[in-house]
Amino acid sequence: MLEEIDAAKTAENAVDLVDELFHVYDRDGSGVLQGEEYDKVLKDLTAHILREAQERKKRLGMSFLPPEEILHQWVVDVVDPNHDGAITLEEARIGFRKAVNDVK
């Protein structure tokens, strides 16, 4: 589904996809991603971005690939800007899109 957000043609479509994705991760229905949900979404977003960076490296012949730890911290900064260990739907709407769209 992260790839679908990447390919969204309109902002409205991207928001709808983020909302859907958020609810997939929000297994307990609390409206906040925390604990295992938080860890899983950060891991998946980091893996998605790392895959995109590797593809871009191959496609463009680039030699630099940021370490996974740095990408992970960037994802945390983007999707949990207040660093409270929880991601609200509003943070996800901004952060998920930024994370998947900033690294192409």
Side-chain angles (χ1 to χ4, degrees):
M1 188 170 295
L2 293 169
E3 292 82 10
E4 292 175 33
I5 295 169
D6 247 344
K9 300 293 183 204
T10 66
E12 182 178 307
N13 183 243
V15 168
D16 291 343
L17 290 167
V18 168
D19 288 358
E20 186 178 335
L21 182 62
F22 181 88
H23 294 295
V24 167
Y25 283 99
D26 185 20
R27 288 202 227 133
D28 65 5
S30 67
V32 177
L33 304 180
Q34 51 194 358
E36 290 179 16
E37 298 166 342
Y38 180 87
D39 294 340
K40 175 85 169 115
V41 76
L42 292 177
K43 179 182 174 188
D44 290 353
L45 282 167
T46 300
H48 173 77
I49 292 166
L50 189 58
R51 273 192 310 276
E52 283 191 337
Q54 289 168 336
E55 289 170 11
R56 185 181 64 245
K57 178 182 173 185
K58 279 175 41 179
R59 188 177 65 245
L60 301 175
M62 299 170 66
S63 59
F64 176 74
L65 187 63
E68 186 172 350
E69 300 80 30
I70 290 175
L71 286 175
H72 179 80
Q73 186 56 54
W74 179 80
V75 170
V76 171
D77 292 343
V78 168
V79 301
D80 185 17
N82 60 359
H83 295 267
D84 65 352
I87 303 168
T88 65
L89 179 57
E90 206 50 46
E91 287 174 327
R93 285 178 175 163
I94 296 166
F96 288 14
R97 287 178 53 207
K98 182 170 180 55
V100 298
N101 289 328
D102 276 8
V103 182
K104 284 191 176 187

